[in-house]
Amino acid sequence: NYEKALAHNTHNIEATYKLAALSLAIGDIKSSLEYCDYCLQLNPLCQNALAYKALACWVDGNRKGWEELYDFDEMIKQFHLDLPGGFSSIDDFNNTLDVDINNHKSLIWEPLERVTNGGAVTSDLLLEPTRAIRLLEKSIKQTVNNLIQNMPTNNEHPFFRTRPKNYKITLIGSILKGHGIHPPHIHENSWLSGVYYVRTPDVMNHSDDSHSGWLQFGRPDITLQDENLLPVAVRFPQPGSLIIFPSYFFHGTIPFRSDGVRVGIAFDIYPVN
């Protein structure tokens, strides 16, 4: 019981954001917002509290509060990776990454600790990096550093004011087969997250109105009343591109129906004091 856990330890962050989510699911928006704000007092970087606070603002009719936290146009960025040295093309680089992921000894089908259905993921690729993984890490860090330098100066916004001076990065390889999905989730302990796209099936394309296989933002991991009215955003996962977003953004994949596979490398940025 989360209420008992919080009464026993008033600094129990997990119990606090779980109570925020439960309150939100039963329609007690006032309590949900109070739990979110209390959780953020305990830990200003609590991604769960930020995610549920945005949802509570939307359900409460506070569109300004929602838009401040979930500004899709401003806060989701997509970049094309510069070609690392030693490769003839992005396709050549991606083919090497594809082999590295498929051959990685930590690759496991539907691990219990990961939100993956119909797919496989690795542990942190940087624990035993190949040359291509090291080059990808370097390119991602250059992109992230530029992004941080050019962010708005806003000491009132919980995302922008917590941008780190120093950070560590992890890279997780992911393979999804047809009908496989990453259901809606956030990245709990990081500040900034993203995906580099290595390979996508032919069925995925810019002109597909169903957005088969695309990355979707805004759908939560809990059931809400009038959930279909929630704003959502989609981005096309083009091989060779990075999609970067705040770690508290709910995101997941739209299923695709194909014999092909969707290969990506998710990355997380963790502030370091």
Side-chain angles (χ1 to χ4, degrees):
N1 183 296
Y2 294 120
E3 289 181 335
K4 289 182 179 179
L6 188 58
H8 178 71
N9 176 9
T10 57
H11 288 74
N12 189 323
I13 291 174
E14 181 179 4
T16 306
Y17 70 68
K18 291 287 189 181
L19 285 167
L22 289 169
S23 299
L24 182 58
I26 64 174
D28 186 354
I29 309 306
K30 182 176 182 291
S31 293
S32 181
L33 287 167
E34 288 175 352
Y35 282 126
C36 287
D37 286 338
Y38 178 61
C39 195
L40 290 168
Q41 288 178 27
L42 297 175
N43 177 14
L45 280 170
C46 181
Q47 303 301 296
N48 289 282
L50 290 171
Y52 294 127
K53 182 173 183 177
L55 291 173
C57 285
W58 175 267
V59 176
D60 199 35
N62 180 0
R63 298 297 182 259
K64 182 178 180 181
W66 160 269
E67 291 167 359
E68 179 179 300
L69 290 170
Y70 259 69
D71 188 335
F72 293 132
D73 292 335
E74 176 66 26
M75 301 173 79
I76 302 173
K77 304 292 186 182
Q78 190 160 6
F79 304 92
H80 288 281
L81 193 75
D82 292 334
L83 179 65
F87 293 90
S88 60
S89 65
I90 283 292
D91 286 343
D92 180 27
F93 179 57
N94 284 344
N95 288 338
T96 302
L97 289 172
D98 195 0
V99 171
D100 289 347
I101 293 169
N102 276 278
N103 290 339
H104 202 273
K105 67 180 184 181
S106 72
L107 187 68
I108 185 171
W109 181 263
E110 294 185 345
L112 294 175
E113 72 276 11
R114 297 284 179 181
V115 285
T116 301
N117 296 324
V121 298
T122 69
S123 62
D124 185 3
L125 295 169
L126 293 174
L127 295 176
E128 295 184 47
T130 62
R131 175 174 173 269
I133 291 297
R134 278 295 186 203
L135 290 171
L136 178 64
E137 177 198 19
K138 181 179 178 180
S139 294
I140 290 175
K141 290 173 78 171
Q142 288 174 342
T143 303
V144 168
N145 291 342
N146 289 334
L147 184 64
I148 290 174
Q149 287 179 355
N150 292 303
M151 277 183 177
T153 301
N154 186 343
N155 292 327
E156 300 300 317
H157 195 283
F159 174 67
F160 295 118
R161 70 179 170 82
T162 53
R163 58 185 169 185
K165 293 182 179 179
N166 301 295
Y167 62 82
K168 68 175 182 177
I169 182 172
T170 60
L171 302 179
I172 305 293
S174 168
I175 301 173
L176 278 184
K177 294 187 176 181
H179 301 278
I181 62 167
H182 295 304
H185 64 286
I186 66 168
H187 293 201
E188 292 186 347
N189 299 312
S190 56
W191 169 76
L192 186 73
S193 299
V195 189
Y196 175 74
Y197 291 96
V198 175
R199 179 179 171 192
T200 58
D202 293 339
V203 70
M204 291 171 55
N205 59 75
H206 279 289
S207 59
D208 179 13
D209 291 337
S210 70
H211 303 132
S212 176
W214 289 33
L215 185 61
Q216 184 182 66
F217 296 91
R219 292 279 179 226
D221 64 349
I222 59 175
T223 301
L224 300 175
Q225 294 180 353
D226 298 325
E227 186 172 307
N228 289 333
L229 299 178
L230 270 172
V232 296
V234 292
R235 295 292 186 272
F236 178 65
Q238 184 174 356
S241 70
L242 299 164
I243 299 179
I244 302 178
F245 48 90
S247 295
Y248 66 81
F249 270 29
F250 277 112
H251 60 285
T253 59
I254 300 172
F256 64 90
R257 292 165 177 81
S258 167
D259 292 333
V261 295
R262 181 182 186 274
V263 181
I265 298 176
F267 57 92
D268 286 309
I269 301 299
Y270 298 87
V272 173
N273 293 331

